[in-house]
Amino acid sequence: MKLISGVLDFDHVVAAIQKGQRLVISADESLLSKLPKGNWLGGTTPYFMAASGGTFSKDRAFVQELSPMATDLRFSWYSDATISSVYNDASENGFSFILIPAFAKIHLTFGLKAPEFGNFGVRPLVGWVAGTQLENLGVVAAKVYNGQTLESKSDEAIVLHATLPESHFADVNIVNIFETSNSQDELEFLTDGFEVERVKVSGKQRDFAGYIAEKKADIRWPLVGDYGGASVNLSFAGIDGGKVKLLAPVFAGVKYRLASPAGDYNAYLKAFQAKMSGFEKQEVGFSCNCVLNYKHGDLHGKIIPELHGPFVFGEIAYQLLNQTAVVMTICPR
Amino acid sequence: MKVPSANDPRWAKLLLQGGQQSFEFLALNMVFTRVVIAAKRDTSKENLSKLTQELREVFEKNAHNAKVVKDLERIFSAGGN
């Protein structure tokens, strides 16, 4: 049986909910707020990578159906005060799916503190940060939904905990198309945070905003954290006076470099295709991509065949990251 | 390969020798980077023991994943550490 994973109009979303299908629904608030009760959770974003290409739509939704192997579904709200137990509450063998409203306090807390929470790295957590039409970011609040109760919130995260049979497990992967060059300076930050003033450049302290200006760095491209075998991207939100604002936090002690420019759509397509090879033979349980890849890669109307899902405002693969695609596969043991 | 016990001295060596490891399993890269930074800040026996528990648990609880098996063998097989 083929699971739903694609763009549906309102009537088809309603029909899928009424059939009892278990769904993750990405759509504009105007659509999500009209859906009936059912086994679904949702978050606001009007941007999707559909089979027909990058799409902006307020009257259609990107719908992902959960694997039939997922059982014992538990929907829970998490506040800024309770998010620290999100991994502890997960099933021993399963996965958890989280949707967080952008710029809520819980977004910042999760971004900064998740790696210290109990069972981080032990129990798989994937998901994304909900947003709005890019022009309305910070003006219109992002929302996340519990379809079982039809509650929506702008200040809490909705989490779906699911259990998998002993025969299978969830594997979380990131697809990062950005590269760094050893000729780029190695950067370290003095404190953890979403806002940065000081940086150590190859061991020497200075102001980060001045460094970016001096290097004529294009802040459409992310900062890339060196996590050994994984590169973790953080996007620039802007520079305000002497403060460099980021969409995910830097961590003191981690080494960063500015990403090399990603190029145009063709470069994005080539990079994603190269990095997505291998997933086509697996059961993809969930995928999403960053709205900044949609924007800066000029992906509207363009196809990335291997990678369908919502474009979102922060990706979660265990921890918060940016300008990255996240893919969760369900694998046999 | 079995995950070494928490009192195996190779864990402390791994934590203190720094962040030159590259794992196939995503979460190991994240956890390892963090525990190595934490070990540099506080090299006390108690802290290293706590960090070892955290790191060991990621290996142990994900031992069904072929990527983790490979990472474990590379790190702890003869000559690996």
Side-chain angles (χ1 to χ4, degrees):
Chain A
M1 187 186 71
K2 195 165 165 26
L3 300 177
I4 300 170
S5 179
V7 174
L8 299 183
D9 62 28
F10 177 75
D11 290 343
H12 284 95
V13 181
V14 171
I17 291 171
Q18 288 174 338
K19 269 170 70 182
Q21 284 164 302
R22 297 105 46 90
L23 310 170
V24 179
I25 304 174
S26 319
D28 187 70
E29 180 182 353
S30 57
L31 187 148
L32 287 170
S33 61
K34 288 188 288 192
L35 292 175
K37 274 188 187 177
N39 287 318
W40 62 273
L41 71 165
T44 48
T45 175
Y47 302 96
F48 325 114
M49 177 52 76
S52 57
T55 301
F56 167 82
S57 174
K58 291 194 169 189
D59 55 13
R60 288 179 292 162
F62 197 97
V63 179
Q64 290 167 306
E65 185 179 0
L66 293 181
S67 166
M69 280 189 273
T71 58
D72 184 27
L73 304 189
R74 291 173 286 129
F75 290 70
S76 305
W77 288 106
Y78 285 87
S79 70
D80 188 55
T82 60
I83 188 65
S84 60
S85 66
V86 68
Y87 304 99
N88 289 339
D89 296 343
S91 300
E92 284 266 346
N93 181 49
F95 61 87
S96 299
F97 189 90
I98 185 168
L99 295 173
I100 301 177
F103 308 125
K105 196 174 171 200
I106 192 170
H107 179 188
L108 306 182
T109 303
F110 179 84
L112 273 170
K113 300 292 180 193
E116 295 167 23
F117 295 162
N119 276 311
F120 176 90
V122 172
R123 296 177 186 170
L125 178 78
V126 292
W128 45 272
V129 176
T132 61
Q133 189 173 342
L134 285 163
E135 294 77 8
N136 296 335
L137 261 186
V139 180
V140 175
K143 283 188 178 171
V144 297
Y145 291 73
N146 178 349
Q148 288 191 325
T149 61
L150 294 184
E151 284 173 285
S152 68
K153 297 191 182 187
S154 292
D155 58 355
E156 293 194 13
I158 182 74
V159 176
L160 168 69
H161 297 295
T163 300
L164 288 172
E166 278 307 304
S167 56
H168 285 74
F169 67 95
D171 191 30
V172 179
N173 304 277
I174 57 174
V175 181
N176 184 356
I177 63 165
F178 289 93
E179 306 282 349
T180 57
S181 157
N182 284 340
S183 63
Q184 284 277 12
D185 294 323
E186 193 172 82
L187 309 175
E188 279 192 69
F189 299 93
L190 312 180
T191 53
D192 302 348
F194 283 77
E195 286 190 356
V196 180
E197 289 188 63
R198 306 292 293 171
V199 62
K200 273 202 280 185
V201 182
S202 303
K204 250 180 145 176
Q205 242 196 77
R206 62 162 300 171
D207 67 306
F208 191 34
Y211 173 80
I212 289 169
E214 191 182 295
K215 288 282 170 185
K216 296 188 173 65
D218 185 340
I219 60 170
R220 286 180 304 160
W221 316 126
L223 253 185
V224 183
D226 180 2
Y227 283 72
S231 296
V232 172
N233 295 343
L234 318 177
S235 302
F236 291 94
I239 300 174
D240 185 3
K243 282 184 184 163
V244 179
K245 296 183 174 184
L246 299 160
L247 295 174
V250 291
F251 291 102
V254 175
K255 293 178 170 59
Y256 296 88
R257 284 191 161 92
L258 295 169
S260 304
D264 60 6
Y265 160 68
N266 288 322
Y268 267 75
L269 179 63
K270 207 171 145 190
F272 272 119
Q273 285 185 316
K275 303 218 168 180
M276 286 295 292
S277 66
F279 288 118
E280 67 275 9
K281 289 181 191 145
Q282 300 180 49
E283 182 185 333
V284 173
F286 159 76
S287 59
C288 68
N289 201 342
C290 179
V291 75
L292 293 178
N293 284 336
Y294 171 89
K295 185 181 176 191
H296 302 321
D298 191 22
L299 299 184
H300 184 76
K302 316 248 177 70
I303 297 172
I304 305 258
E306 290 81 3
L307 192 58
H308 301 156
F311 285 110
V312 299
F313 299 78
E315 301 75 65
I316 294 155
Y318 294 100
Q319 69 182 55
L320 178 64
L321 28 102
N322 302 135
Q323 268 169 285
T324 302
V326 173
V327 180
M328 183 183 76
T329 54
I330 308 289
C331 309
R333 286 188 190 235
Chain B
M1 181 182 180
K2 225 177 139 193
V3 181
S5 69
N7 54 16
D8 189 310
R10 289 178 294 177
W11 289 110
K13 192 177 160 199
L14 192 60
L15 290 173
L16 293 170
Q17 76 185 11
Q20 299 306 312
Q21 302 292 344
S22 172
F23 299 102
E24 286 197 31
F25 184 56
L26 174 64
L28 266 175
N29 290 301
M30 292 170 167
V31 173
F32 186 75
T33 301
R34 188 175 60 77
V35 294
V36 165
I37 292 168
K40 264 189 202 158
R41 288 180 186 150
D42 177 359
T43 56
S44 68
K45 205 176 159 190
E46 295 72 29
N47 192 45
L48 293 183
S49 168
K50 182 176 94 54
L51 298 172
T52 294
Q53 295 281 5
E54 283 182 42
L55 183 58
R56 187 180 179 281
E57 193 154 326
V58 180
F59 276 105
E60 192 171 61
K61 295 282 174 66
N62 291 288
H64 48 268
N65 188 323
K67 294 175 190 171
V68 177
V69 174
K70 268 194 205 166
D71 287 334
L72 186 65
E73 283 173 355
R74 192 179 56 76
I75 296 295
F76 289 109
S77 62
N81 186 41

